[in-house]
Amino acid sequence: MPTRRFASLLVLLGLMLALPSQALAQFRVPEPAEAAPEAADPLKRETPRSAVTALISALAKQDYERAGNYFALEDDDPEQAARLARALQASLDSGGQLVP
């Protein structure tokens, strides 16, 4: 008798796997939505190298307000950021250097 029951279970399992099931449709993985294209960073901080290059470019143009945007300050004070940018340029101009 156990073999007959086992054979019946195998047939039932085979039928369940062979026939399409509405329950299986619920487990389909949804298609990923297309990611919205990321807006380009106006400060060109896509990579660390591009961020430093853009900072040095802003310092060369003496655009201290723009250069101040590259500093991470706790109080987010634009005037303090511009002062830091001026101090960085003064330090670099007095013989400091950036080493790659």
Side-chain angles (χ1 to χ4, degrees):
M1 278 287 172
T3 1
R4 192 174 195 181
R5 182 175 277 176
F6 182 70
S8 298
L9 286 174
L10 281 178
V11 169
L12 182 61
L13 181 63
L15 286 173
M16 287 174 53
L17 293 174
L19 298 175
S21 171
Q22 292 296 329
L24 289 177
Q26 294 176 6
F27 295 110
R28 288 188 185 157
V29 176
E31 295 291 323
E34 285 190 35
E38 292 184 26
D41 185 0
L43 297 175
K44 300 179 182 175
R45 295 174 294 194
E46 286 82 22
T47 64
R49 181 181 295 255
S50 66
V52 171
T53 301
L55 169 63
I56 298 299
S57 175
L59 290 174
K61 295 175 185 174
Q62 296 182 350
D63 187 355
Y64 301 114
E65 289 179 15
R66 182 172 181 88
N69 289 316
Y70 293 91
F71 299 111
L73 303 176
E74 289 185 19
D75 58 357
D76 201 24
D77 180 10
E79 291 177 14
Q80 181 185 10
R83 283 193 303 271
L84 286 173
R86 286 179 194 272
L88 175 61
Q89 183 174 20
S91 176
L92 292 173
D93 288 345
S94 70
Q97 58 181 333
L98 294 176
V99 179

